[in-house]
Amino acid sequence: MISDVNSVSISEGEEDKEDVIVSVEGLVHKYGDFTAVDGVSFTVRRGEVFSLLGPNGAGKTTAINALIGLLKPTSGEIYLDGINVIKNPEKVKGSIGIVFQETILDREMTVWESMEFHGKLYKIPKEERHEKIWELLELVELSEKVDEITRRLSGGMKRRLEIARALMTEPTILFLDEPTLGLDPQGRVLIWEQIRKVNERGTTMFLTTHYMEEADRLADRVFIMDHGKILISGTPERLKDKLGKDVIFLYLAEKERAREVLEGFDFINEIVEFDKGLEIVLNGSGVPLAPRIMETLDSLKPKLAVDGVNIKRPSLDDVFLYFTGRKIRETDIS
Amino acid sequence: MMFSCILQAEKLGKLTYPDLFLSFQLIERFFVSLKEVFIVHGAWTIFWREMVKYKRRMMTLFVTIVQPVLWILLFGVALGSTIPEKEGSISYVNFLIPGIIGLSILFSSLFASFNVLLDKEFGLTKEILMSPTSRNQAMVGYSLSGLAKSLIQAFAVLLLGVFLIVSGSEKLVLFGEGEGFFDTFIWFLTFVLIIVIFSFGFLFMAMAIAARMTSHGALQALTTMLTLPLFFASEALYPSREFPFWLAIIAKINPLTYCVRVLQISLLGYDFRYGDNPPFHYEFADIVTGFIMVGLFTLIMFYLAIKSFQKIKLF
């Protein structure tokens, strides 16, 4: 089931050349013998939220570093806004904003000073700089914290400050490498709001994440990456439709007996075992089908006891599992 | 024009030359770096940031001033008490002022490396180097802030020394005493200039080291290992004429020796003596040699610092 899908693109459609802001062709990067990025190609459209989704070590950060000109890839072509990034890494510095995976803030400076420092580095004239600092702090809802030392900000506030800082140069594209890593659910939702707001102002967003929910909520298009390769891409909806079918989780002890009985039904596509029972992939909606399964198991002699039932729409998690054969686990995250 | 300079510098920075010391490109790069440093304000942005933090942390300011003060109070006064006063001699504390100034600059300059290491650790070098600010400017920015701290220290020591001597109602010798306002001014300029050049020398050395280091422990050990021999194999605390041969060699190639000598001449004059020690006698040539030796050292360190900064890895 897994082996037949190596790289699939679901209804990409024709790319409108003028709408492309980033195009990557055959990107390869090796660290010694280890191939971190293995022949990746994709395009980012102007104005969209683009998401690179995959577990840690999939090669997402390496890809970003190559895209922003921080790293010279082993081979491949990268064009950003018409600029050849590999040949002219200096030229893209002005048109991109980046929020790195790790928090990069001077712990001893205030919110205002951090913004001021960034603006000065980019030589933004004083008046324009100060105007922009206020505007952006307003946008990320930090204007009440201007004189706070960054060390005393919460994790979510630090992230928002970093987003505001990256926007100071009015980048055409903003790269966010795991923007909600390590945040609590509340902080995460706030960041999502900011990302949407910034995107509505017209900035293209390039997002890497290993949170399925994040890609699902935010991204216009998702590219799933694992072991340095892009496995599948498309809108979150299309990717889920690809699996299409609901899944019923049956919690029971006698897995083998239940499996034998259920394998006869034609509305069941696949039965997968998990530690507490069976995962049943249907080819239709689970709502009418679940009672049928329950009735069948109930009528068996001797009776087959079911401890619990759960119906689930496929999520991007399942898409990932389907195409990689493994789950993204929180424990992967260092 | 500014921008083309940067581009050129970046381009040159990526090339590697097998025979660097003689290559034409090296000289070219050196001048491009110099030009870039003096024209572009990226360095000043980094300077600004360091100063904002320095002002905020009064404790740092306090420590940097107190450390040399303790040297003078404890070492100068204690050892000075064993040295008998003599007619026509200056006090040991007075003799020690230039040496302790040299020492404070050496220490504070070398310890500037920790700021760079911290920035590397917290990723701030990434923020800086992703901006149009070049590596050379960043390096000089860090160094400029270190220089400011060195100058603050130097004048703190000077003031304290003056206070100690005057309050002890001893005769004070400072800046070619008694030769008129103009001479005093020239000696003052000499004093500041040698401090600036010498401080830059060790700041650049600190930059070269910090750019290549990743561990705090190792940096600490290396810095301590460097400062001790530099300090004791110099003329900061005592004259070097009785040194055994091997120690005299170290003193001869030690930039601190030359810096302290120029500081001594500018503060105490060509001829001075403390206690019943044989008198010191210097000439104008000693000043020239001092500037040449310290200047050469600083140039070499400037080159090494720029080269090391090109090699900073960003991830």
Side-chain angles (χ1 to χ4, degrees):
Chain A
M1 157 190 144
I2 293 149
S3 56
D4 61 339
V5 205
N6 273 328
S7 178
V8 194
S9 175
I10 300 170
S11 337
E12 268 297 306
E14 283 297 300
E15 296 283 359
D16 185 344
K17 278 273 179 261
E18 283 169 25
D19 261 8
V20 171
I21 182 160
V22 177
S23 77
V24 176
E25 205 40 63
L27 183 67
V28 176
H29 190 72
K30 290 181 182 169
Y31 296 105
D33 285 340
F34 175 68
T35 309
V37 177
D38 191 4
V40 163
S41 303
F42 58 82
T43 55
V44 181
R45 297 170 190 158
R46 204 175 287 276
E48 76 172 341
V49 179
F50 177 100
S51 176
L52 212 49
L53 176 71
N56 264 33
K60 293 170 295 174
T61 300
T62 306
I64 272 208
N65 282 337
L67 254 64
I68 62 175
L70 211 53
L71 176 142
K72 202 176 164 66
T74 312
S75 69
E77 300 258 326
I78 304 169
Y79 285 90
L80 195 150
D81 220 356
I83 300 164
N84 186 331
V85 178
I86 294 161
K87 280 191 186 139
N88 302 305
E90 291 300 312
K91 280 194 188 163
V92 294
K93 278 183 177 180
S95 48
I96 58 173
I98 167 126
V99 177
F100 289 102
Q101 188 166 330
E102 67 275 25
T103 307
I104 295 185
L105 286 172
D106 194 317
R107 294 154 47 85
E108 288 172 34
M109 286 209 289
T110 64
V111 168
W112 175 272
E113 284 158 4
S114 304
M115 297 287 280
E116 181 82 347
F117 178 59
H118 198 74
K120 280 180 172 212
L121 280 178
Y122 283 83
K123 305 185 178 77
I124 304 170
K126 193 175 172 188
E127 269 176 38
E128 191 189 335
R129 189 170 72 221
H130 288 180
E131 220 169 85
K132 215 170 256 162
I133 293 176
W134 281 118
E135 183 203 327
L136 290 169
L137 289 180
E138 206 84 41
L139 178 83
V140 298
E141 291 160 45
L142 277 179
S143 39
E144 277 164 26
K145 299 276 180 190
V146 274
D147 291 325
E148 191 72 82
I149 303 272
T150 60
R151 175 164 29 106
R152 301 208 185 96
L153 298 177
S154 72
M157 287 177 184
K158 282 182 189 161
R159 268 295 182 228
R160 269 143 57 200
L161 174 57
E162 289 189 300
I163 291 175
R165 183 177 64 183
L167 290 172
M168 276 200 77
T169 53
E170 294 187 355
T172 44
I173 180 165
L174 181 61
F175 292 89
L176 298 148
D177 195 0
E178 301 277 6
T180 63
L181 192 71
L183 295 187
D184 57 23
Q186 225 178 340
R188 190 167 296 167
V189 171
L190 256 171
I191 296 287
W192 289 345
E193 263 174 45
Q194 309 304 337
I195 292 176
R196 253 185 235 118
K197 267 202 260 176
V198 172
N199 182 238
E200 275 160 21
R201 285 158 44 113
T203 312
T204 309
M205 310 294 265
F206 188 107
L207 179 79
T208 76
T209 182
H210 64 261
Y211 294 117
M212 299 293 174
E213 200 191 349
E214 192 161 291
D216 201 355
R217 294 259 194 112
L218 290 174
D220 294 313
R221 288 188 308 150
V222 178
F223 282 62
I224 294 181
M225 195 172 177
D226 196 20
H227 297 305
K229 285 189 169 121
I230 285 177
L231 302 176
I232 185 165
S233 63
T235 66
E237 281 315 307
R238 282 234 170 87
L239 289 177
K240 284 185 279 186
D241 281 352
K242 169 77 178 171
L243 299 181
K245 311 301 175 253
D246 288 5
V247 177
I248 293 179
F249 292 91
L250 280 182
Y251 298 89
L252 41 71
E254 296 174 83
K255 295 179 206 170
E256 275 316 304
R257 234 178 99 213
R259 180 195 271 269
E260 274 168 33
V261 176
L262 295 175
E263 263 169 357
F265 288 112
D266 55 359
F267 58 80
I268 293 176
N269 272 357
E270 201 191 351
I271 301 173
V272 184
E273 265 186 46
F274 66 101
D275 54 349
K276 285 178 185 149
L278 295 178
E279 190 181 330
I280 299 161
V281 184
L282 306 171
N283 63 6
S285 167
V287 179
L289 295 176
R292 279 185 66 185
I293 291 172
M294 292 303 290
E295 271 167 34
T296 315
L297 294 178
D298 220 30
S299 63
L300 286 176
K301 280 182 183 128
K303 203 170 143 182
L304 206 156
V306 178
D307 303 326
V309 187
N310 196 2
I311 305 178
K312 211 179 132 210
R313 270 287 291 162
S315 67
L316 275 180
D317 252 315
D318 304 308
V319 177
F320 185 81
L321 179 65
Y322 184 86
F323 285 101
T324 64
R326 60 199 182 98
K327 283 199 161 112
I328 290 187
R329 285 162 314 181
E330 290 275 340
T331 47
D332 277 348
I333 304 139
S334 47
Chain B
M1 191 190 107
M2 228 156 72
F3 193 59
S4 74
C5 281
I6 301 167
L7 279 180
Q8 208 181 348
E10 293 292 326
K11 228 163 50 195
L12 286 165
K14 288 205 179 68
L15 303 170
T16 48
Y17 307 107
D19 193 2
L20 267 169
F21 277 95
L22 297 171
S23 79
F24 168 71
Q25 281 99 332
L26 172 68
I27 299 162
E28 190 184 339
R29 186 161 99 189
F30 178 77
F31 280 106
V32 168
S33 312
L34 269 186
K35 211 153 75 179
E36 192 186 297
V37 162
F38 288 108
I39 299 170
V40 186
H41 86 300
W44 291 107
T45 304
I46 297 187
F47 173 78
W48 169 82
R49 167 169 161 259
E50 292 290 323
M51 286 296 117
V52 163
K53 289 181 357 183
Y54 189 58
K55 270 186 278 173
R56 178 155 305 135
R57 300 190 66 187
M58 288 310 283
M59 195 60 205
T60 331
L61 190 77
F62 183 71
V63 169
T64 50
I65 290 174
V66 162
Q67 203 189 22
V69 162
L70 287 178
W71 265 98
I72 290 199
L73 277 181
L74 298 176
F75 190 82
V77 173
L79 191 64
S81 70
T82 68
I83 295 165
E85 296 279 331
K86 248 201 159 178
E87 191 59 33
S89 292
I90 55 171
S91 70
Y92 183 65
V93 171
N94 201 346
F95 166 79
L96 201 59
I97 292 174
I100 297 300
I101 290 175
L103 159 85
S104 334
I105 298 166
L106 171 74
F107 276 27
S108 79
S109 301
L110 272 178
F111 274 89
S113 54
F114 284 91
N115 289 338
V116 181
L117 193 66
L118 272 178
D119 275 5
K120 268 169 66 178
E121 228 168 64
F122 285 104
L124 278 134
T125 30
K126 262 193 207 173
E127 186 197 354
I128 296 165
L129 298 182
M130 273 305 291
S131 79
T133 301
S134 73
R135 285 159 187 259
N136 294 345
Q137 289 167 46
M139 192 278 286
V140 172
Y142 286 118
S143 303
L144 278 174
S145 65
L147 178 70
K149 292 170 198 171
S150 290
L151 284 171
I152 291 172
Q153 265 195 353
F155 282 101
V157 176
L158 194 62
L159 280 177
L160 177 93
V162 168
F163 175 77
L164 266 185
I165 295 161
V166 170
S167 68
S169 66
E170 288 166 26
K171 190 174 147 251
L172 171 73
V173 179
L174 220 56
F175 292 125
E177 172 239 10
E179 290 168 32
F181 176 78
F182 183 73
D183 278 354
T184 307
F185 182 68
I186 295 291
W187 285 125
F188 178 76
L189 278 188
T190 315
F191 172 79
V192 173
L193 193 63
I194 193 72
I195 290 178
V196 170
I197 300 173
F198 177 75
S199 181
F200 265 137
F202 278 97
L203 282 164
F204 293 148
M205 184 191 249
M207 296 300 123
I209 293 170
R212 288 158 194 260
M213 285 270 178
T214 48
S215 134
H216 275 261
L219 183 61
Q220 179 90 46
L222 185 67
T223 309
T224 313
M225 202 194 78
L226 273 169
T227 48
L228 281 180
L230 280 170
F231 184 39
F232 287 110
S234 77
E235 295 182 346
L237 304 178
Y238 29 67
S240 66
R241 54 188 161 228
E242 304 296 333
F243 278 5
F245 177 72
W246 62 273
L247 200 57
I249 294 283
I250 301 177
K252 265 266 183 290
I253 53 168
N254 183 353
L256 184 61
T257 303
Y258 295 96
C259 173
V260 168
R261 188 168 297 163
V262 175
L263 287 175
Q264 281 173 345
I265 299 171
S266 65
L267 283 176
L268 310 173
Y270 288 122
D271 294 283
F272 57 88
R273 65 184 297 191
Y274 71 90
D276 46 9
N277 269 281
F280 289 80
H281 173 73
Y282 293 117
E283 280 163 11
F284 184 68
D286 290 306
I287 297 186
V288 177
T289 323
F291 271 102
I292 289 173
M293 294 302 277
V294 176
L296 263 179
F297 168 73
T298 301
L299 281 183
I300 293 168
M301 288 304 148
F302 180 66
Y303 166 68
L304 289 179
I306 282 190
K307 212 177 144 215
S308 303
F309 257 62
Q310 298 295 346
K311 286 192 180 146
I312 291 185
K313 287 222 168 66
L314 292 183
F315 48 88

